[in-house]
């Protein structure tokens, strides 16, 4: 059995969750001993596992069908998580939904990261086998490492006693970026750092204005990878992710894997695998977020780190690899 993993526009998606999903799939398949290629010109494969929905993706599906190959579509995207992202995304969202339904329906089976996103796809009327497989997490990257922590603290010139609230994600309204900044205004005694970037050409004006004119206790370092962000995950006092819509939220898995204290918005995608007050804290509005972040940073709320780590440890790349292998075998 050989699989063609296809991600259209690798350079464009490299800074996103889908970009990390690509790396995770490769590592997961290697751990499961599944042969794969990422070369779309390689005709020697049995299953096309496609992850994107651009023009080239559609052509790859047609090519696979002509060759009699099986097709699995990985549904990372929905109409719901397309909204409130790029310029004009809300106006385009109904058209995006039509395209997603058409492309996803062209497969033999669908993989999606959570029961929540599976429910959305079923609500679209897609009548195909839909398998829930987490994007997974490489636990080894998020083991506490004092050298990474030193690099992170030096990068941001942090002093002893500085308390840091961490956020990670593209600069989208959907990710809750305005709420992150509003909560920072309520808690000026803490530093708020949001890792993530996107072209200023495609974000709405109000988001660009937030990034350009923000409180002094908010830092936007852009896209930073490697030891700096991994050190931040381990050393920050709280991971705050007020996203309004996700299909899973890889950055939440990363924070849990780093044994970080996590505060998220109480949205459907985090049910039932994240439990409020057990593996994380869930809030509904900025006043509640401010209280949860303060309680987490000041350690007045019960510690959720070990239970959160257990959630991440159930989603290792080795476990994901075995689940992907099982899906492939069922389709073949």
């Amino acid at each position: 059995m050989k699989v063609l993993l296809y991600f259209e526009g690798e350079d464009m998606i490299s800074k996103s969750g889908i970009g990390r999903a690509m790396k995770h799939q490769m590592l997961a398949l290697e751990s499961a001993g599944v042969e794969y290629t990422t070369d779309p010109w390689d005709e020697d494969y049995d299953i096309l596992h496609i992850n994107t929905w651009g023009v080239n993706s559609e052509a790859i599906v047609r090519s696979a069908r002509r060759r009699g190959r099986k097709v699995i579509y990985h549904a990372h995207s929905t109409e719901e998580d397309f909204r409130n992202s790029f310029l004009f995304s809300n106006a385009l969202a109904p058209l995006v939904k039509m395209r997603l339904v058409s492309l996803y329906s062209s497969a033999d089976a669908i993989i999606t990261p959570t029961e929540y996103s599976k429910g959305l796809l079923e609500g679209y009327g897609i009548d195909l086998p839909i398998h829930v497989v987490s994007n997974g997490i490489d636990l080894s990257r998020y083991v506490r490492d004092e050298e990474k922590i030193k690099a992170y603290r030096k990068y941001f010139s942090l002093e002893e006693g500085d308390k840091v609230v961490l956020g990670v994600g593209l600069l989208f309204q959907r990710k809750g970026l305005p709420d992150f900044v509003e909560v920072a205004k309520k808690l000026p005694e803490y530093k708020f750092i949001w890792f993530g970037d996107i072209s200023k050409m495609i974000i709405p004006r109000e988001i660009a204005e937030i990034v350009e004119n923000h409180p002094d206790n908010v830092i936007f370092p852009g896209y930073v990878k490697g030891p700096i962000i991994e050190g931040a995950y381990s050393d920050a006092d709280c991971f705050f992710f007020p996203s309004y819509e996700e299909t899973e939220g890889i950055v939440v898995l990363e924070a849990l894997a780093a044994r970080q204290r996590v505060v998220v918005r109480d949205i459907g995608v985090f049910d039932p695998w994240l439990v409020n007050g057990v593996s994380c804290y869930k809030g509904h509005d900025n006043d509640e977020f401010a209280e949860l972040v303060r309680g987490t940073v000041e350690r007045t709320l019960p510690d959720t780190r070990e239970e959160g780590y257990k959630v991440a440890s159930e989603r290792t790349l080795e476990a994901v690899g075995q689940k992907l292998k099982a899906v492939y075998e069922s389709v073949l």
Side-chain angles (χ1 to χ4, degrees):
M1 177 172 62
K2 183 176 177 180
V3 178
L4 168 58
L5 288 181
Y6 186 71
F7 290 81
E8 184 173 351
E10 289 185 29
D11 291 341
M12 292 179 62
I13 65 173
S14 63
K15 298 179 181 179
S16 70
I18 297 178
R20 289 202 287 290
M22 175 183 70
K23 297 180 178 67
H24 288 182
Q25 282 177 23
M26 294 165 68
L27 291 170
L29 294 190
E30 289 168 10
S31 74
V34 175
E35 184 180 3
Y36 72 88
T37 179
T38 58
D39 180 3
W41 300 105
D42 186 344
E43 299 180 8
D44 179 27
Y45 66 91
D46 303 291
I47 297 174
L48 168 63
H49 181 168
I50 186 164
N51 288 262
T52 45
W53 49 275
V55 175
N56 290 343
S57 298
E58 188 174 9
I60 290 291
V61 172
R62 289 199 302 268
S63 174
R65 287 303 189 197
R66 285 196 302 269
R67 292 177 169 83
R69 307 298 198 266
K70 297 291 187 180
V71 176
I72 295 175
Y73 232 112
H74 207 124
H76 299 284
S77 301
T78 64
E79 177 192 16
E80 287 77 5
D81 78 353
F82 184 79
R83 290 183 178 274
N84 298 311
S85 52
F86 306 97
L87 278 173
F88 310 118
S89 61
N90 289 359
L92 293 171
L95 297 176
V96 168
K97 178 181 177 180
M98 291 174 59
R99 179 166 180 78
L100 291 175
V101 170
S102 175
L103 288 173
Y104 292 166
S105 298
S106 69
D108 295 289
I110 295 172
I111 295 172
T112 197
T114 56
E115 291 290 342
Y116 171 78
S117 53
K118 178 181 179 179
L120 292 179
L121 298 177
E122 291 173 337
Y124 295 172
I126 296 175
D127 186 21
L128 286 173
I130 302 176
H131 304 271
V132 174
V133 181
S134 170
N135 287 306
I137 188 69
D138 182 357
L139 293 178
S140 65
R141 287 187 57 191
Y142 301 97
V143 173
R144 186 176 179 88
D145 184 319
E146 294 302 325
E147 291 304 313
K148 291 180 180 179
I149 290 170
K150 287 178 184 177
Y152 145 72
R153 296 189 68 85
K154 180 179 179 181
Y155 188 88
F156 289 104
S157 301
L158 295 175
E159 298 177 2
E160 187 174 354
D162 284 343
K163 295 181 178 180
V164 176
V165 179
L166 175 66
V168 182
L170 296 174
L171 303 179
F172 289 163
Q173 182 179 347
R174 171 175 67 81
K175 297 288 186 182
L177 181 65
D179 302 271
F180 186 84
V181 173
E182 287 303 311
V183 172
K185 291 178 182 178
K186 295 175 181 291
L187 301 170
E189 65 271 32
Y190 306 149
K191 294 183 183 295
F192 284 68
I193 303 175
W194 182 284
F195 288 90
D197 199 8
I198 197 74
S199 170
K200 302 301 187 293
M201 301 292 290
I202 60 173
I203 60 173
R205 180 181 301 173
E206 56 268 28
I207 298 299
E209 288 178 354
I210 288 172
V211 175
E212 292 171 7
N213 302 292
H214 52 77
D216 291 341
N217 66 322
V218 177
I219 303 170
F220 289 107
Y223 179 73
V224 182
K225 62 180 181 179
I228 304 299
I229 191 170
E230 290 165 15
Y233 269 124
S234 293
D235 194 59
D237 296 280
C238 174
F239 178 81
F240 174 38
F241 189 60
S243 178
Y244 286 87
E245 185 69 32
E246 299 290 323
T247 54
E248 182 173 38
I250 288 181
V251 297
V252 175
L253 288 179
E254 291 171 345
L256 296 174
R259 288 184 165 89
Q260 182 55 258
R261 298 168 174 85
V262 172
V263 175
V264 298
R265 189 180 300 278
D266 189 2
I267 54 177
V269 72
F270 297 131
D271 288 329
W273 57 282
L274 287 180
V275 179
N276 184 37
V278 178
S279 50
C280 71
Y281 287 99
K282 297 180 180 181
H284 301 86
D285 57 43
N286 290 341
D287 288 337
E288 188 174 3
F289 286 142
E291 289 305 310
L292 291 172
V293 168
R294 181 184 288 111
T296 300
V297 171
E298 300 299 336
R299 311 298 190 251
T300 58
L301 288 172
D303 195 338
T304 61
R305 290 178 296 173
E306 289 308 311
E307 290 300 318
Y309 181 78
K310 289 179 184 178
V311 172
S313 65
E314 293 168 355
R315 290 159 174 79
T316 64
L317 297 185
E318 292 77 14
V320 170
Q322 291 301 319
K323 289 184 178 181
L324 290 176
K325 183 178 180 180
V327 173
Y328 297 156
E329 290 172 344
S330 72
V331 169
L332 282 178

